[in-house]
Amino acid sequence: MEFSNDAQQMPARFRELKHKIAAQYPDFENKATTAWGEILEELAKVSKEIKAAGSNYIPQVNFADLDKLTEEDLARIRTRGSVVIKDVVDDAEATEWKNLLDEFVKKNPVEGFPEGNKQFFQLYWTKSQVQARAHPNVLKASVWLNNLYKFKDGKPMDGVDLNVPLTYADRFRIRHPGGHWDNHPPHVDGGSVERWEEDTFRACFEDIFSGNWRKHDPYDITNRVNAKADVYGRADQASIFRSFQGWLAMTTIAPHNGTLQVFPNVLLSNSYNMLRPFFTSTVSSSDALDAKSWKFDIESPEIPGVLPFRSGFQGPRPTEALHPHLRLKDTMTSVPEVNPGDMVFWHCDVIHAVETEHIGKEDSAVMYIPAVPLTPQNASYIERQLKAFEDLKSPADYGDPKNEQTFVGVGTPKDLVDLGARRAMGLVH
Ligand SMILES: [Fe+2]
């Protein structure tokens, strides 16, 4: 979809927002224009590197080695923004969770998509999910990921503890071979227009807006913990801070088996995405890659890739047409093959998509389990989520509450035995 000033899609106030941001950072036009040129140059270089490496570009580590990684390994994971952690859980245990889920969706009158051949389920409290989220290794992986973040100048913040993982209840999918999924094109979750509009969220990107984009640290937690990602309270928008989104594989999933794709350089995609609304192309699309074909322009309210949706906004959803320098056809990289019990994580700003095709022979089945640290905002969500768990209803982030009470095979607080798991769910403090 192309945006144009003739068919305005974003409310007029976003033109004022662009002017406000331009006024907030000294010499914004010059600095942003210089940065824009540098970012375009760097994207041309890095996108070649990504295309040449393919799935090997995504770092892979063994769960057992997490504490033995070198600074160089960690730097690579931080830059690429995604990581596969192998063998977090035993294959047999993850396979058993899949078997239980297969049974669950057969036995119970559950909701899911697509209608008639359900593969994506609006369920939160099946025993498999409750057990997987509570698994000590899953929680340990979460702590490790949370600790990739840093406090500015090393100063700890009240109520924030990267070593205390919280449990965020999300859904699962059991995708069958064949079919065509186009409902997850490249996108970023956890905040839409809020990334520009909400003052604290915008502060996460202040080095980009002030022209020092190379200094931008996607892992500086200072403003993340208080950023408000859901100003409009839109359903299906995470309101908490997830350091990394993630999933746990319950089957073997290779590229072309409906797996996850990521843009594997979070510094660059953030820098480009955040400055993109301040520039327009002056030429036809064939010359769009040349920096000379773009000019600073803050007169339109459009935020390319962001659109009004339900009570709020959706996106960013970068596209080839609107974000040509990301070269999404070349750079959206499928994660390498994973086996049951492996986990895949991607930083909360990473552009990701789900492959449209699944040409494999077995189900591509995952439970969505992100990494979440203890912060005051997250803790208050966990309190509300616990109430939903006790009532076996869908959690607050997912719209009208749906009931799971009558289903056979749900988990309950009694399933959570370990102190760490109980603390992660807010059952103990
Ligand atoms: Fe997503």
Side-chain angles (χ1 to χ4, degrees):
M1 191 188 307
E2 293 278 356
F3 292 115
S4 82
N5 291 335
D6 310 329
Q8 187 182 311
Q9 305 188 63
M10 289 290 277
R13 69 174 187 277
F14 291 110
R15 177 184 170 277
E16 310 317 315
L17 174 65
K18 288 187 193 177
H19 281 257
K20 179 182 146 183
I21 295 173
Q24 185 182 355
Y25 299 95
D27 199 16
F28 182 74
E29 177 170 349
N30 279 327
K31 291 199 165 160
T33 305
T34 305
W36 179 252
E38 291 166 359
I39 293 161
L40 264 44
E41 224 172 274
E42 192 68 14
L43 275 169
K45 216 168 68 194
V46 172
S47 55
K48 273 190 204 138
E49 208 180 290
I50 295 171
K51 187 184 180 189
S55 293
N56 291 330
Y57 206 72
I58 316 293
Q60 300 184 61
V61 298
N62 293 316
F63 175 77
D65 296 334
L66 286 183
D67 296 331
K68 300 179 205 151
L69 299 181
T70 63
E71 273 310 313
E72 205 184 338
D73 295 330
L74 296 173
R76 191 177 306 112
I77 291 165
R78 283 196 185 94
T79 307
R80 300 191 181 179
S82 300
V83 59
V84 176
I85 307 181
K86 314 281 287 178
D87 293 322
V88 179
V89 174
D90 286 345
D91 293 40
E93 195 165 9
T95 305
E96 180 56 18
W97 286 334
K98 156 79 159 63
N99 295 338
L100 282 174
L101 288 174
D102 279 332
E103 251 175 61
F104 191 99
V105 300
K106 259 187 230 142
K107 259 195 224 156
N108 296 298
V110 301
E111 280 194 38
F113 301 110
E115 203 49 64
N117 180 21
K118 291 172 188 165
Q119 302 174 57
F120 184 88
F121 297 92
Q122 311 280 90
L123 295 167
Y124 304 87
W125 307 120
T126 68
K127 201 164 276 259
S128 296
Q129 287 166 293
V130 170
Q131 286 179 351
R133 295 174 196 136
H135 194 289
N137 289 4
V138 171
L139 293 171
K140 190 183 164 194
S142 175
V143 168
W144 179 80
L145 289 153
N146 293 338
N147 276 283
L148 291 176
Y149 281 73
K150 291 274 171 326
F151 298 101
K152 198 168 229 144
D153 309 320
K155 277 188 205 125
M157 297 168 71
D158 274 353
V160 179
D161 192 337
L162 301 179
N163 293 314
V164 175
L166 298 181
T167 292
Y168 182 71
D170 201 332
R171 296 148 293 182
F172 66 91
R173 73 147 193 260
I174 300 177
R175 185 171 169 185
H176 306 317
H180 182 90
W181 282 28
D182 53 11
N183 47 351
H184 291 101
H187 67 280
V188 181
D189 295 308
S192 178
V193 79
E194 288 89 345
R195 290 170 178 270
W196 291 269
E197 189 180 23
E198 204 272 317
D199 292 344
T200 311
F201 211 151
R202 186 170 69 251
C204 299
F205 307 102
E206 62 191 0
D207 285 325
I208 298 171
F209 291 122
S210 54
N212 301 317
W213 66 278
R214 287 182 202 275
K215 275 173 75 188
H216 166 61
D217 182 0
Y219 299 89
D220 178 352
I221 203 166
T222 317
N223 289 304
R224 300 271 174 187
V225 299
N226 294 318
K228 199 156 166 32
D230 73 330
V231 168
Y232 300 92
R234 209 200 83 196
D236 293 332
Q237 164 105 301
S239 62
I240 59 156
F241 165 59
R242 296 175 284 191
S243 63
F244 283 74
Q245 292 179 258
W247 51 244
L248 182 140
M250 294 179 284
T251 51
T252 296
I253 309 170
H256 310 293
N257 292 176
T259 198
L260 179 84
Q261 296 184 306
V262 291
F263 181 95
N265 188 310
V266 65
L267 168 68
L268 265 179
S269 57
N270 274 357
S271 300
Y272 183 73
N273 270 341
M274 296 312 295
L275 288 182
R276 175 65 187 84
F278 302 90
F279 292 87
T280 48
S281 170
T282 55
V283 295
S284 68
S285 58
S286 56
D287 302 313
L289 292 176
D290 190 341
K292 291 195 199 79
S293 309
W294 292 76
K295 68 165 199 257
F296 183 82
D297 178 2
I298 54 175
E299 298 314 316
S300 140
E302 303 306 336
I303 312 268
V306 173
L307 283 175
F309 182 62
R310 296 185 186 155
S311 61
F313 294 85
Q314 74 173 15
R317 283 189 173 187
T319 64
E320 285 277 346
L322 295 169
H323 302 76
H325 306 96
L326 293 175
R327 296 166 178 81
L328 294 169
K329 271 200 194 94
D330 293 339
T331 53
M332 288 305 289
T333 305
S334 300
V335 298
E337 179 170 310
V338 292
N339 292 309
D342 296 348
M343 294 189 79
V344 177
F345 289 97
W346 60 103
H347 181 284
C348 54
D349 293 342
V350 162
I351 303 166
H352 59 286
V354 178
E355 288 178 338
T356 52
E357 62 182 344
H358 177 2
I359 58 169
K361 291 204 167 51
E362 66 170 320
D363 287 344
S364 168
V366 308
M367 286 187 257
Y368 300 96
I369 304 178
V372 179
L374 175 65
T375 73
Q377 206 169 263
N378 287 352
S380 102
Y381 181 82
I382 294 301
E383 244 174 71
R384 283 182 288 145
Q385 180 185 260
L386 175 61
K387 179 88 181 74
F389 182 33
E390 286 164 346
D391 295 344
L392 291 168
K393 290 202 156 110
S394 49
D397 275 352
Y398 298 91
D400 291 337
K402 303 204 176 60
N403 239 320
E404 297 182 27
Q405 280 161 358
T406 55
F407 294 161
V408 179
V410 288
T412 69
K414 282 190 197 130
D415 289 300
L416 304 176
V417 181
D418 289 351
L419 186 61
R422 294 180 68 76
R423 190 168 186 198
M425 271 305 291
L427 282 158
V428 287
H429 294 281

